[in-house]
Amino acid sequence: MRPGLISVKHVTWLVYLLVFVLIALGQTVAAQDSTPYAATITISGTINKPEARILDKSFKVASENGANLIILLINTPGGDLESTRKMVRTIYDSDIPVVTFVWPSGSQAASAGTFLLAAGNVAAMAPSTNVGAATPVSITGEDLPETIANKATQDAASFLRSIALNRDRNVEAYESTVTKGKAYSEIEAIEAGLINIISKSPQQLLEDLDGEIINIGETDIVLNTSGLVIQPIKPGFLDRFLKFLANPNIALILLGIGFVGILIEFINPGGFIPGITGVAAIVLALVALGNLPVNWMGLLLIGLAGALFYIEVQVSGLGIAGLIGGALFIVGAILLFGGFSQPDLNGPTFMANIWILIGVGIVIALILIILIKASIDARKNRYETDEKVTVGKIAKT
Protein backbone atom coordinates (compact mmCIF):
# COMPACT_ATOMS: atom_id res chain seq x y z
CA MET A 1 0.00 0.00 0.00
CA ARG A 2 1.41 3.38 -0.97
CA PRO A 3 1.91 5.94 1.82
CA GLY A 4 -0.89 8.45 2.19
CA LEU A 5 -3.65 6.10 1.01
CA ILE A 6 -6.34 4.72 3.31
CA SER A 7 -7.18 1.06 2.81
CA VAL A 8 -10.65 -0.46 2.80
CA LYS A 9 -9.76 -2.14 6.08
CA HIS A 10 -9.08 1.21 7.73
CA VAL A 11 -12.35 2.62 6.41
CA THR A 12 -14.22 -0.42 7.77
CA TRP A 13 -12.72 0.00 11.23
CA LEU A 14 -13.55 3.71 11.11
CA VAL A 15 -17.19 2.93 10.28
CA TYR A 16 -17.33 0.39 13.13
CA LEU A 17 -15.90 2.97 15.54
CA LEU A 18 -18.42 5.59 14.40
CA VAL A 19 -21.32 3.17 14.84
CA PHE A 20 -20.06 2.23 18.32
CA VAL A 21 -19.85 5.90 19.34
CA LEU A 22 -23.37 6.61 18.02
CA ILE A 23 -24.77 3.62 19.92
CA ALA A 24 -23.02 4.71 23.10
CA LEU A 25 -24.36 8.26 22.72
CA GLY A 26 -27.83 6.91 22.03
CA GLN A 27 -27.73 4.82 25.19
CA THR A 28 -26.54 7.82 27.18
CA VAL A 29 -29.36 10.03 25.85
CA ALA A 30 -31.88 7.27 26.49
CA ALA A 31 -30.58 6.92 30.04
CA GLN A 32 -30.91 10.69 30.53
CA ASP A 33 -34.39 10.75 29.03
CA SER A 34 -35.56 7.92 31.29
CA THR A 35 -34.37 9.67 34.45
CA PRO A 36 -37.40 10.72 36.54
CA TYR A 37 -37.64 14.49 36.55
CA ALA A 38 -39.82 17.47 37.42
CA ALA A 39 -40.34 20.00 34.64
CA THR A 40 -40.34 23.65 35.65
CA ILE A 41 -42.26 26.16 33.52
CA THR A 42 -41.88 29.86 34.25
CA ILE A 43 -44.71 32.39 33.98
CA SER A 44 -43.37 35.92 34.35
CA GLY A 45 -44.64 39.29 33.24
CA THR A 46 -48.07 40.02 31.83
CA ILE A 47 -50.56 37.22 31.21
CA ASN A 48 -51.55 37.48 27.54
CA LYS A 49 -52.12 35.36 24.42
CA PRO A 50 -48.44 34.54 23.77
CA GLU A 51 -48.00 33.48 27.41
CA ALA A 52 -51.03 31.19 27.11
CA ARG A 53 -49.58 29.59 23.95
CA ILE A 54 -46.19 29.12 25.62
CA LEU A 55 -47.83 27.39 28.59
CA ASP A 56 -49.83 25.05 26.36
CA LYS A 57 -46.75 24.10 24.30
CA SER A 58 -44.63 23.62 27.43
CA PHE A 59 -47.20 21.24 28.94
CA LYS A 60 -47.21 19.21 25.73
CA VAL A 61 -43.40 19.01 25.78
CA ALA A 62 -43.44 17.88 29.41
CA SER A 63 -46.00 15.18 28.60
CA GLU A 64 -44.14 13.95 25.50
CA ASN A 65 -40.82 13.80 27.37
CA GLY A 66 -42.29 11.81 30.24
CA ALA A 67 -42.07 14.34 33.06
CA ASN A 68 -43.25 13.02 36.43
CA LEU A 69 -44.29 16.42 37.75
CA ILE A 70 -44.81 19.97 36.48
CA ILE A 71 -43.87 22.91 38.68
CA LEU A 72 -45.38 26.16 37.45
CA LEU A 73 -43.20 29.03 38.68
CA ILE A 74 -45.41 32.14 38.92
CA ASN A 75 -44.39 35.79 39.12
CA THR A 76 -46.96 38.01 37.43
CA PRO A 77 -48.82 41.27 38.07
CA GLY A 78 -51.80 39.88 36.11
CA GLY A 79 -53.23 40.13 32.63
CA ASP A 80 -56.30 39.56 30.52
CA LEU A 81 -59.10 37.24 31.58
CA GLU A 82 -59.45 35.36 28.28
CA SER A 83 -55.81 34.21 28.35
CA THR A 84 -56.15 33.31 32.03
CA ARG A 85 -59.08 31.01 31.26
CA LYS A 86 -57.06 29.25 28.56
CA MET A 87 -54.14 28.75 30.94
CA VAL A 88 -56.38 27.36 33.68
CA ARG A 89 -57.87 24.97 31.12
CA THR A 90 -54.35 23.83 30.17
CA ILE A 91 -53.57 23.09 33.82
CA TYR A 92 -56.83 21.18 34.25
CA ASP A 93 -56.25 19.10 31.11
CA SER A 94 -52.79 17.98 32.21
CA ASP A 95 -52.35 14.24 32.82
CA ILE A 96 -49.27 15.10 34.91
CA PRO A 97 -49.58 16.47 38.48
CA VAL A 98 -49.19 20.27 38.46
CA VAL A 99 -47.76 22.25 41.37
CA THR A 100 -48.23 26.02 41.16
CA PHE A 101 -45.48 27.86 43.00
CA VAL A 102 -45.10 31.62 43.56
CA TRP A 103 -41.32 31.93 43.43
CA PRO A 104 -38.71 33.39 43.99
CA SER A 105 -39.04 35.45 47.16
CA GLY A 106 -40.43 38.88 46.36
CA SER A 107 -42.65 37.52 43.58
CA GLN A 108 -46.41 37.90 43.29
CA ALA A 109 -49.39 36.04 41.92
CA ALA A 110 -51.54 39.13 41.60
CA SER A 111 -54.72 39.42 39.58
CA ALA A 112 -54.68 36.65 36.93
CA GLY A 113 -51.89 34.95 38.87
CA THR A 114 -54.39 34.24 41.65
CA PHE A 115 -56.43 32.05 39.29
CA LEU A 116 -53.33 30.17 38.14
CA LEU A 117 -52.12 29.55 41.69
CA ALA A 118 -55.53 28.19 42.70
CA ALA A 119 -55.66 25.86 39.67
CA GLY A 120 -52.70 23.67 40.66
CA ASN A 121 -53.13 20.22 42.19
CA VAL A 122 -50.85 21.61 44.90
CA ALA A 123 -50.45 25.35 45.53
CA ALA A 124 -47.25 26.66 47.10
CA MET A 125 -45.60 29.99 47.83
CA ALA A 126 -42.09 31.08 48.72
CA PRO A 127 -41.34 33.33 51.71
CA SER A 128 -42.04 37.05 51.16
CA THR A 129 -44.49 36.53 48.30
CA ASN A 130 -48.14 37.52 47.93
CA VAL A 131 -51.32 36.53 46.12
CA GLY A 132 -54.63 38.27 45.42
CA ALA A 133 -56.12 41.60 44.33
CA ALA A 134 -58.03 40.14 41.38
CA THR A 135 -60.78 42.75 40.93
CA PRO A 136 -61.77 43.31 37.26
CA VAL A 137 -61.09 46.72 35.75
CA SER A 138 -60.91 48.09 32.20
CA ILE A 139 -57.90 47.23 30.06
CA THR A 140 -56.66 50.80 30.55
CA GLY A 141 -56.56 50.28 34.32
CA GLU A 142 -59.56 52.48 35.05
CA ASP A 143 -62.63 51.50 37.05
CA LEU A 144 -65.46 50.01 35.01
CA PRO A 145 -68.94 51.55 34.87
CA GLU A 146 -71.07 50.21 37.72
CA THR A 147 -73.26 47.81 35.70
CA ILE A 148 -70.35 46.35 33.73
CA ALA A 149 -68.23 46.18 36.89
CA ASN A 150 -70.89 44.14 38.73
CA LYS A 151 -71.21 41.69 35.84
CA ALA A 152 -67.45 41.35 35.40
CA THR A 153 -66.87 40.91 39.13
CA GLN A 154 -69.55 38.24 39.45
CA ASP A 155 -68.18 36.42 36.41
CA ALA A 156 -64.60 36.45 37.72
CA ALA A 157 -65.73 35.51 41.25
CA SER A 158 -67.75 32.52 40.02
CA PHE A 159 -64.79 31.35 37.92
CA LEU A 160 -62.44 31.54 40.90
CA ARG A 161 -64.99 29.87 43.18
CA SER A 162 -65.25 26.92 40.80
CA ILE A 163 -61.45 26.56 40.75
CA ALA A 164 -61.22 26.67 44.54
CA LEU A 165 -64.04 24.11 44.90
CA ASN A 166 -62.40 21.82 42.37
CA ARG A 167 -59.07 21.94 44.22
CA ASP A 168 -60.69 21.76 47.70
CA ARG A 169 -59.44 25.14 48.90
CA ASN A 170 -61.00 28.01 50.86
CA VAL A 171 -63.70 29.32 48.51
CA GLU A 172 -64.56 32.41 50.56
CA ALA A 173 -60.93 33.51 50.88
CA TYR A 174 -60.32 33.18 47.16
CA GLU A 175 -63.59 34.93 46.34
CA SER A 176 -62.59 37.89 48.52
CA THR A 177 -59.60 38.55 46.23
CA VAL A 178 -62.13 39.40 43.50
CA THR A 179 -65.06 40.94 45.37
CA LYS A 180 -63.00 42.87 47.94
CA GLY A 181 -59.64 43.12 46.16
CA LYS A 182 -57.96 41.40 49.09
CA ALA A 183 -54.32 40.24 48.96
CA TYR A 184 -52.55 37.68 51.16
CA SER A 185 -48.96 37.11 52.19
CA GLU A 186 -47.69 33.54 52.07
CA ILE A 187 -48.29 33.09 55.83
CA GLU A 188 -51.82 34.54 55.60
CA ALA A 189 -52.48 32.39 52.53
CA ILE A 190 -51.59 29.10 54.20
CA GLU A 191 -53.53 30.04 57.34
CA ALA A 192 -56.58 30.92 55.21
CA GLY A 193 -56.37 27.67 53.23
CA LEU A 194 -55.42 29.26 49.89
CA ILE A 195 -52.24 27.20 49.53
CA ASN A 196 -50.83 23.91 50.79
CA ILE A 197 -47.11 24.52 51.30
CA ILE A 198 -44.53 27.24 51.91
CA SER A 199 -41.13 26.33 50.43
CA LYS A 200 -37.92 28.25 49.89
CA SER A 201 -36.99 26.81 46.48
CA PRO A 202 -38.12 24.29 43.84
CA GLN A 203 -35.68 21.72 45.24
CA GLN A 204 -37.03 22.22 48.76
CA LEU A 205 -40.53 22.01 47.33
CA LEU A 206 -39.82 18.53 45.94
CA GLU A 207 -38.77 17.36 49.39
CA ASP A 208 -41.85 18.92 50.98
CA LEU A 209 -44.16 17.32 48.39
CA ASP A 210 -42.87 13.78 48.90
CA GLY A 211 -45.69 11.57 50.16
CA GLU A 212 -48.47 14.10 49.44
CA ILE A 213 -51.72 12.62 48.10
CA ILE A 214 -53.37 14.42 45.20
CA ASN A 215 -56.29 13.69 42.93
CA ILE A 216 -55.88 13.35 39.15
CA GLY A 217 -59.27 12.83 37.54
CA GLU A 218 -60.89 10.27 39.83
CA THR A 219 -57.63 8.68 40.97
CA ASP A 220 -55.67 9.44 44.13
CA ILE A 221 -51.92 9.57 43.56
CA VAL A 222 -49.15 9.53 46.15
CA LEU A 223 -46.36 11.84 45.05
CA ASN A 224 -42.86 10.39 45.06
CA THR A 225 -40.74 13.48 44.46
CA SER A 226 -37.66 13.15 46.67
CA GLY A 227 -35.47 11.74 43.88
CA LEU A 228 -36.69 13.87 40.99
CA VAL A 229 -34.27 15.96 38.95
CA ILE A 230 -35.40 19.49 38.02
CA GLN A 231 -35.34 20.29 34.29
CA PRO A 232 -36.64 23.67 33.02
CA ILE A 233 -38.72 23.85 29.84
CA LYS A 234 -37.96 27.06 27.98
CA PRO A 235 -40.00 28.58 25.13
CA GLY A 236 -38.60 28.56 21.59
CA PHE A 237 -37.30 31.60 19.73
CA LEU A 238 -40.58 32.24 17.89
CA ASP A 239 -42.61 32.16 21.11
CA ARG A 240 -40.17 34.53 22.81
CA PHE A 241 -40.30 36.87 19.81
CA LEU A 242 -44.12 36.93 19.82
CA LYS A 243 -44.08 37.60 23.54
CA PHE A 244 -41.69 40.51 22.93
CA LEU A 245 -43.98 41.94 20.24
CA ALA A 246 -47.06 41.71 22.49
CA ASN A 247 -46.31 45.09 24.02
CA PRO A 248 -48.34 48.26 23.31
CA ASN A 249 -45.19 50.39 23.11
CA ILE A 250 -43.52 48.05 20.59
CA ALA A 251 -46.74 47.90 18.53
CA LEU A 252 -47.03 51.70 18.45
CA ILE A 253 -43.37 52.15 17.43
CA LEU A 254 -43.77 49.59 14.63
CA LEU A 255 -46.91 51.35 13.45
CA GLY A 256 -45.03 54.65 13.35
CA ILE A 257 -42.14 53.16 11.36
CA GLY A 258 -44.54 51.48 8.93
CA PHE A 259 -46.60 54.64 8.64
CA VAL A 260 -43.59 56.79 7.71
CA GLY A 261 -41.97 54.21 5.42
CA ILE A 262 -45.08 53.67 3.29
CA LEU A 263 -45.78 57.43 3.16
CA ILE A 264 -42.26 58.14 1.87
CA GLU A 265 -42.59 55.39 -0.74
CA PHE A 266 -45.91 56.77 -2.00
CA ILE A 267 -44.56 60.31 -2.28
CA ASN A 268 -41.16 59.34 -3.76
CA PRO A 269 -41.73 55.99 -5.48
CA GLY A 270 -38.83 53.87 -6.66
CA GLY A 271 -36.66 53.87 -3.56
CA PHE A 272 -38.04 50.51 -2.41
CA ILE A 273 -36.17 50.53 0.92
CA PRO A 274 -38.67 52.84 2.71
CA GLY A 275 -41.59 50.91 1.23
CA ILE A 276 -40.23 47.47 2.12
CA THR A 277 -39.31 48.64 5.62
CA GLY A 278 -42.75 50.18 6.06
CA VAL A 279 -44.62 47.07 4.93
CA ALA A 280 -42.48 44.83 7.16
CA ALA A 281 -43.08 47.11 10.16
CA ILE A 282 -46.85 47.18 9.52
CA VAL A 283 -46.96 43.37 9.29
CA LEU A 284 -45.09 43.04 12.59
CA ALA A 285 -47.36 45.68 14.14
CA LEU A 286 -50.45 43.72 13.08
CA VAL A 287 -48.96 40.56 14.60
CA ALA A 288 -48.36 42.49 17.83
CA LEU A 289 -51.89 43.93 17.82
CA GLY A 290 -53.32 40.45 17.22
CA ASN A 291 -51.87 39.43 20.58
CA LEU A 292 -53.18 42.45 22.46
CA PRO A 293 -56.65 43.64 23.48
CA VAL A 294 -57.13 46.49 21.02
CA ASN A 295 -59.85 48.73 19.63
CA TRP A 296 -59.59 48.28 15.86
CA MET A 297 -61.42 51.56 15.32
CA GLY A 298 -58.22 53.23 16.51
CA LEU A 299 -56.26 51.50 13.72
CA LEU A 300 -58.83 52.72 11.18
CA LEU A 301 -58.40 56.32 12.37
CA ILE A 302 -54.61 55.97 12.05
CA GLY A 303 -55.11 54.75 8.48
CA LEU A 304 -57.30 57.76 7.68
CA ALA A 305 -54.62 60.01 9.17
CA GLY A 306 -52.12 58.48 6.74
CA ALA A 307 -54.38 59.24 3.77
CA LEU A 308 -54.76 62.86 4.91
CA PHE A 309 -51.00 63.23 5.36
CA TYR A 310 -50.50 61.99 1.80
CA ILE A 311 -53.01 64.59 0.53
CA GLU A 312 -51.26 67.28 2.58
CA VAL A 313 -47.91 66.58 0.92
CA GLN A 314 -49.42 66.41 -2.57
CA VAL A 315 -51.12 69.81 -2.29
CA SER A 316 -47.90 71.29 -0.88
CA GLY A 317 -48.79 72.65 2.50
CA LEU A 318 -52.50 73.48 2.41
CA GLY A 319 -52.54 72.84 6.17
CA ILE A 320 -56.09 71.67 6.80
CA ALA A 321 -55.53 68.03 5.77
CA GLY A 322 -52.34 67.84 7.84
CA LEU A 323 -53.97 69.23 10.98
CA ILE A 324 -56.96 66.91 10.70
CA GLY A 325 -54.63 63.98 10.01
CA GLY A 326 -52.54 64.81 13.07
CA ALA A 327 -55.63 64.97 15.26
CA LEU A 328 -56.89 61.63 13.88
CA PHE A 329 -53.51 60.00 14.46
CA ILE A 330 -53.41 61.08 18.12
CA VAL A 331 -57.03 60.02 18.76
CA GLY A 332 -56.46 56.73 16.94
CA ALA A 333 -53.31 55.95 18.93
CA ILE A 334 -55.16 56.64 22.19
CA LEU A 335 -58.20 54.56 21.20
CA LEU A 336 -56.02 51.72 19.87
CA PHE A 337 -55.37 50.35 23.37
CA GLY A 338 -58.40 51.75 25.14
CA GLY A 339 -61.44 53.88 24.75
CA PHE A 340 -63.87 51.06 25.48
CA SER A 341 -64.81 49.38 28.74
CA GLN A 342 -63.71 45.81 28.14
CA PRO A 343 -63.70 44.01 31.51
CA ASP A 344 -60.37 42.55 32.51
CA LEU A 345 -58.54 41.39 35.59
CA ASN A 346 -56.87 43.96 37.75
CA GLY A 347 -53.22 44.18 36.81
CA PRO A 348 -50.99 45.95 34.28
CA THR A 349 -52.68 48.29 31.86
CA PHE A 350 -52.45 47.80 28.11
CA MET A 351 -52.03 51.49 27.26
CA ALA A 352 -48.93 52.64 25.40
CA ASN A 353 -46.56 54.91 27.28
CA ILE A 354 -47.53 58.56 26.78
CA TRP A 355 -43.90 59.52 26.03
CA ILE A 356 -43.71 56.87 23.31
CA LEU A 357 -46.87 58.34 21.78
CA ILE A 358 -45.44 61.87 21.93
CA GLY A 359 -42.12 60.73 20.48
CA VAL A 360 -43.72 58.91 17.56
CA GLY A 361 -45.97 61.92 16.88
CA ILE A 362 -43.00 64.34 16.85
CA VAL A 363 -40.99 62.13 14.48
CA ILE A 364 -43.92 61.83 12.06
CA ALA A 365 -44.53 65.59 12.20
CA LEU A 366 -40.86 66.36 11.42
CA ILE A 367 -40.80 63.93 8.51
CA LEU A 368 -44.01 65.44 7.14
CA ILE A 369 -42.52 68.95 7.32
CA ILE A 370 -39.45 67.73 5.43
CA LEU A 371 -41.58 66.01 2.79
CA ILE A 372 -43.84 69.05 2.35
CA LYS A 373 -40.82 71.35 1.97
CA ALA A 374 -39.26 68.98 -0.56
CA SER A 375 -42.52 68.84 -2.51
CA ILE A 376 -42.80 72.65 -2.59
CA ASP A 377 -39.17 73.02 -3.72
CA ALA A 378 -39.65 70.41 -6.42
CA ARG A 379 -42.71 72.20 -7.81
CA LYS A 380 -40.93 75.57 -7.72
CA ASN A 381 -37.90 74.19 -9.57
CA ARG A 382 -40.13 72.55 -12.16
CA TYR A 383 -41.99 75.79 -12.84
CA GLU A 384 -38.73 77.74 -13.14
CA THR A 385 -37.29 75.15 -15.51
CA ASP A 386 -40.43 75.16 -17.64
CA GLU A 387 -40.32 78.94 -17.95
CA LYS A 388 -36.64 78.93 -18.97
CA VAL A 389 -37.25 76.28 -21.58
CA THR A 390 -40.43 77.66 -23.11
CA VAL A 391 -40.15 81.49 -23.05
CA GLY A 392 -38.92 82.86 -26.41
CA LYS A 393 -38.39 79.41 -27.95
CA ILE A 394 -39.86 78.15 -31.20
CA ALA A 395 -41.95 75.06 -30.73
CA LYS A 396 -41.17 72.03 -32.89
CA THR A 397 -43.64 69.49 -34.17
PDB file of all heavy atoms in Angstrom, residues 124 262 321 375:
ATOM      1  N   ALA A 124     -48.342  26.353  46.171  1.00  0.00           N
ATOM      2  CA  ALA A 124     -47.252  26.659  47.102  1.00  0.00           C
ATOM      3  C   ALA A 124     -46.775  28.091  46.884  1.00  0.00           C
ATOM      4  O   ALA A 124     -46.949  28.661  45.807  1.00  0.00           O
ATOM      5  CB  ALA A 124     -46.092  25.680  46.906  1.00  0.00           C
ATOM      6  N   ILE A 262     -44.127  53.766   4.401  1.00  0.00           N
ATOM      7  CA  ILE A 262     -45.075  53.675   3.285  1.00  0.00           C
ATOM      8  C   ILE A 262     -45.400  55.066   2.731  1.00  0.00           C
ATOM      9  O   ILE A 262     -45.534  55.258   1.516  1.00  0.00           O
ATOM     10  CB  ILE A 262     -46.348  52.946   3.740  1.00  0.00           C
ATOM     11  CG1 ILE A 262     -46.020  51.477   4.038  1.00  0.00           C
ATOM     12  CG2 ILE A 262     -47.443  53.042   2.676  1.00  0.00           C
ATOM     13  CD1 ILE A 262     -47.170  50.688   4.599  1.00  0.00           C
ATOM     14  N   ALA A 321     -55.618  69.489   5.780  1.00  0.00           N
ATOM     15  CA  ALA A 321     -55.527  68.030   5.772  1.00  0.00           C
ATOM     16  C   ALA A 321     -54.505  67.535   6.787  1.00  0.00           C
ATOM     17  O   ALA A 321     -54.721  66.530   7.483  1.00  0.00           O
ATOM     18  CB  ALA A 321     -55.168  67.525   4.369  1.00  0.00           C
ATOM     19  N   SER A 375     -41.506  68.802  -1.453  1.00  0.00           N
ATOM     20  CA  SER A 375     -42.517  68.841  -2.507  1.00  0.00           C
ATOM     21  C   SER A 375     -42.676  70.260  -3.055  1.00  0.00           C
ATOM     22  O   SER A 375     -42.763  70.473  -4.272  1.00  0.00           O
ATOM     23  CB  SER A 375     -43.855  68.337  -1.970  1.00  0.00           C
ATOM     24  OG  SER A 375     -44.866  68.423  -2.953  1.00  0.00           O
TER      25      SER A 375
END
